[in-house]
Amino acid sequence: MEFRNINDIESATKRGRREMFRLGSALLFIILIMLFTANQPTASGSMSIELVIAAMIGGYMALNIGANDVANNVGPAVGSKALTLTGAIIIAAIFETSGALIAGGDVVSTIKKGIIDPALIADSDTFIWLMIAALLAGALWLNIATAIGAPVSTTHSIVGGVLGAGIAAAGWNIANWNQMGAIAASWVISPLIGGIIAALFLFWIKRSITYKDNMIEAAKTMLPILIAIMAWAFSTYLIMKGLKKIWKVDFEYALLIGLGIAIAVHIIVKPLITRQATSLANGKSSVNQLFTIPLIFAAALLSFAHGANDVANAVGPLAAIHDAIQTHGIATKAEIPLWVMLIGAIGISLGLMLFGPKLIRTVGSEITELDQMRAYSIAMAAAITVIIASQLGLPVSSTHIAVGGIFGVGFLREYLKRSYATTIQAIRDHHQGQDQAEIDRFIQQFEKASLVEKKEMLTQLKQKEADVSLSKKERKSLNKVYQKELVKRSAFLKIVAAWLITVPASALMAAMIFFAIKEMLQF
């Protein structure tokens, strides 16, 4: 009896021990940052309390970026079973760190997105505490969003922090409201474009492969083309975004390089796909298997590009504070010392490993059910939307694009399922009064028919001029069934609400933190 009681206690405390390990590891990382930064030389030759505080908050921000934002790169691959959770975390950690250290750049903008005018900031001390308040507010909001399971934009979090702290320091005139309007517009633009592109790719895959009688033969032809398009999009995306700080090329040149890579990939993968597909059974699950390896590459490349771009969200304000302490001035650009970049790279990877699984599960499986074909469509939406937005000068969020892509494929599936269910009901209405076995035979024949044959069968039914329409009540009931099955409305509403309040919430917190600091230090 006593032994059983001990086991019960062990089981009850297991979750708590895991949480303590995570929190303890994160706290140890921040303490190590504090000890390291305390020994960093400054222009005055003495330790800078401001730099120590900023470095600790920068590490905290990096942990939260890893916990929240990286899920968008690997979540669909995990949800579709192309990658295990452990495999995804390892790949993301390696490529996020590589992207940050190899292509993270040597210089960063001190004022993210130009949302406030640094000329209106009174002195370097005010600027330092302004950036500390912004960084802390952005990190706190990301922490809150991660806790409630909402993937939000880290860029918008830090933008809101800088805006709120800037207004608290110098008044409303410091803000660039035109730029803020563009960022607000991206709340709608990013997920909308991502959702449309993901839905279009999924519909194309369905029409060209899974709606065919012989799916495997169709896959042998179409899949190498789809993989080549992925190679084109991702190589262009990587050249433009992931490598832009070490290799700057024009858009047209990046497209041409990407096209060359796509042609080479098509030549290489076509015989490989043919060989692999020959041994597979004719079915949807077999087609999904063929998308697995491309998805693993997509997760790795998205993580590399994210590490190269979004590390600045963690270390940009820290680099700006370091520069202001060293020069006693306010510059629009600041160099990123290697130790600052390491804080960002290690913090993002550590945050992903310790706290990332929750958001990876949310993105991968708690919004809508994903398979490899749907995950491929989402990955394509992520790359293509960023390319389009870059050329149009639209500020978009990678988080909003990826989650918008997930909703896009979910809502497309809802529409197709609902349409199909309505069609089956119409068939039953047409055959009203006939033998049930005959109706079932017709439906089975319809389900096995090709797309062209389905259209012919439906045309013949319509020519009978029977009343095939569903009542409003029946249609509403049918819609509700499929809405509940395919897209979780609670997840949709929670995520959209989190997106809408990200900038205001982080701005309000940053203003409150700045006022508190100002009151304590009397500057």
Side-chain angles (χ1 to χ4, degrees), residues 342-362:
L342 279 169
I343 286 175
I346 295 170
I348 288 173
S349 298
L350 190 61
L352 169 66
M353 289 186 282
L354 294 175
F355 306 106
K358 180 174 183 176
L359 261 293
I360 289 174
R361 290 190 192 96
T362 298

Side-chain angles (χ1 to χ4, degrees), residues 108-147:
V108 68
S109 297
T110 56
I111 305 296
K112 186 73 179 174
K113 303 285 184 186
I115 55 166
I116 64 171
D117 183 3
L120 297 180
I121 299 169
D123 50 55
S124 61
D125 284 341
T126 302
F127 176 75
I128 289 166
W129 290 112
L130 182 158
M131 296 305 288
I132 287 174
L135 194 56
L136 180 56
L140 284 170
W141 172 247
L142 278 178
N143 200 332
I144 293 167
T146 303

Side-chain angles (χ1 to χ4, degrees), residues 417-434:
K417 288 269 188 181
R418 197 180 306 137
S419 298
Y420 190 76
T422 305
T423 301
I424 294 297
Q425 184 61 46
I427 291 170
R428 292 187 185 279
D429 289 349
H430 272 297
H431 290 80
Q432 238 174 10
Q434 296 183 19

Side-chain angles (χ1 to χ4, degrees), residues 218-474:
K220 286 179 184 178
T221 303
M222 289 307 303
L223 196 59
I225 295 171
L226 289 166
I227 293 172
I229 292 171
M230 175 182 257
W232 190 4
F234 271 83
S235 53
T236 304
Y237 171 76
L238 201 61
I239 292 166
M240 288 176 57
K241 302 297 287 183
L243 301 175
K244 67 179 180 179
K245 291 172 183 174
I246 57 174
W247 183 34
K248 273 209 150 187
V249 297
D250 293 333
F251 173 63
E252 293 79 9
Y253 191 45
L255 269 180
L256 284 173
I257 295 171
L259 180 59
I261 293 170
I263 292 168
V265 166
H266 185 272
I267 293 168
I268 293 167
V269 302
K270 190 168 176 59
L272 297 175
I273 293 292
T274 302
R275 195 180 309 127
Q276 186 184 357
T278 303
S279 61
L280 296 174
N282 182 39
K284 200 172 176 182
S285 60
S286 298
V287 176
N288 270 316
Q289 285 181 43
L290 298 172
F291 279 92
T292 300
I293 293 175
L295 275 176
I296 294 170
F297 276 96
L301 292 174
L302 282 170
S303 296
F304 183 91
H306 181 269
N309 279 303
D310 281 33
V311 71
N313 288 327
V315 303
L318 175 55
I321 292 163
H322 178 264
D323 183 80
I325 290 169
Q326 298 287 12
T327 63
H328 299 287
I330 303 168
T332 56
K333 298 278 185 182
E335 286 188 10
I336 306 178
L338 180 60
W339 66 269
V340 170
M341 187 63 80
L342 279 169
I343 286 175
I346 295 170
I348 288 173
S349 298
L350 190 61
L352 169 66
M353 289 186 282
L354 294 175
F355 306 106
K358 180 174 183 176
L359 261 293
I360 289 174
R361 290 190 192 96
T362 298
V363 171
S365 59
E366 292 179 10
I367 297 172
T368 190
E369 186 183 341
L370 296 177
D371 59 18
Q372 285 94 323
M373 287 181 279
R374 295 164 203 156
Y376 165 89
S377 303
I378 294 161
M380 289 300 298
I384 292 173
T385 304
V386 170
I387 293 169
I388 292 170
S390 296
Q391 292 314 295
L392 297 176
L394 299 172
V396 292
S397 162
S398 59
T399 300
H400 291 190
I401 294 167
V403 177
I406 293 170
F407 284 124
V409 300
F411 286 128
L412 173 68
R413 290 176 61 230
E414 270 194 6
Y415 170 76
L416 294 175
K417 288 269 188 181
R418 197 180 306 137
S419 298
Y420 190 76
T422 305
T423 301
I424 294 297
Q425 184 61 46
I427 291 170
R428 292 187 185 279
D429 289 349
H430 272 297
H431 290 80
Q432 238 174 10
Q434 296 183 19
D435 182 60
Q436 185 60 43
E438 186 181 335
I439 297 171
D440 291 341
R441 274 197 301 275
F442 186 91
I443 290 173
Q444 286 174 9
Q445 182 187 349
F446 180 79
E447 287 174 344
K448 291 177 182 177
S450 67
L451 202 61
V452 175
E453 289 169 344
K454 279 186 171 75
K455 286 181 180 178
E456 288 176 359
M457 292 172 76
L458 289 174
T459 302
Q460 289 170 7
L461 285 176
K462 286 177 182 176
Q463 286 172 350
K464 293 181 181 179
E465 296 181 353
D467 181 15
V468 299
S469 62
L470 293 171
S471 69
K472 265 189 179 179
K473 188 176 180 181
E474 289 171 328

Side-chain angles (χ1 to χ4, degrees), residues 5-260:
N5 290 341
I6 291 169
N7 284 338
D8 290 342
I9 293 168
E10 284 287 314
S11 300
T13 58
K14 189 176 180 181
R15 179 184 171 87
R17 289 199 307 273
R18 283 201 300 262
E19 289 301 320
M20 286 301 294
F21 172 77
R22 292 191 187 104
L23 291 171
S25 300
L27 187 60
L28 178 62
F29 173 64
I30 292 172
I31 290 170
L32 289 173
I33 291 172
M34 179 186 70
L35 296 173
F36 177 81
T37 314
N39 293 301
Q40 285 299 303
T42 60
S44 62
S46 59
M47 181 186 75
S48 169
I49 294 295
E50 293 94 335
L51 186 60
V52 172
I53 294 170
M56 291 169 67
I57 297 171
Y60 175 51
M61 179 65 165
L63 287 169
N64 282 291
I65 291 174
N68 192 291
D69 213 28
V70 180
N72 308 306
N73 304 325
V74 297
V78 172
S80 67
K81 307 292 191 295
L83 276 171
T84 63
L85 181 61
T86 303
I89 288 171
I90 292 169
I91 286 173
I94 291 169
F95 282 89
E96 286 279 340
T97 305
S98 301
L101 296 178
I102 295 170
D106 299 320
V107 177
V108 68
S109 297
T110 56
I111 305 296
K112 186 73 179 174
K113 303 285 184 186
I115 55 166
I116 64 171
D117 183 3
L120 297 180
I121 299 169
D123 50 55
S124 61
D125 284 341
T126 302
F127 176 75
I128 289 166
W129 290 112
L130 182 158
M131 296 305 288
I132 287 174
L135 194 56
L136 180 56
L140 284 170
W141 172 247
L142 278 178
N143 200 332
I144 293 167
T146 303
I148 64 172
V152 297
S153 169
T154 55
T155 302
H156 289 179
S157 299
I158 197 64
V159 161
V162 172
L163 177 70
I167 292 172
W172 294 94
N173 291 333
I174 196 172
N176 182 346
W177 294 109
N178 289 334
Q179 186 65 21
M180 284 306 304
I183 290 169
S186 77
W187 298 340
V188 178
I189 294 167
S190 300
L192 193 60
I193 297 177
I196 290 169
I197 292 174
L200 288 174
F201 266 99
L202 182 59
F203 189 66
W204 181 22
I205 292 168
K206 285 179 175 293
R207 289 295 299 264
S208 61
I209 300 177
T210 60
Y211 286 171
K212 300 290 185 182
D213 288 335
N214 194 329
M215 296 183 196
I216 294 299
E217 284 303 314
K220 286 179 184 178
T221 303
M222 289 307 303
L223 196 59
I225 295 171
L226 289 166
I227 293 172
I229 292 171
M230 175 182 257
W232 190 4
F234 271 83
S235 53
T236 304
Y237 171 76
L238 201 61
I239 292 166
M240 288 176 57
K241 302 297 287 183
L243 301 175
K244 67 179 180 179
K245 291 172 183 174
I246 57 174
W247 183 34
K248 273 209 150 187
V249 297
D250 293 333
F251 173 63
E252 293 79 9
Y253 191 45
L255 269 180
L256 284 173
I257 295 171
L259 180 59

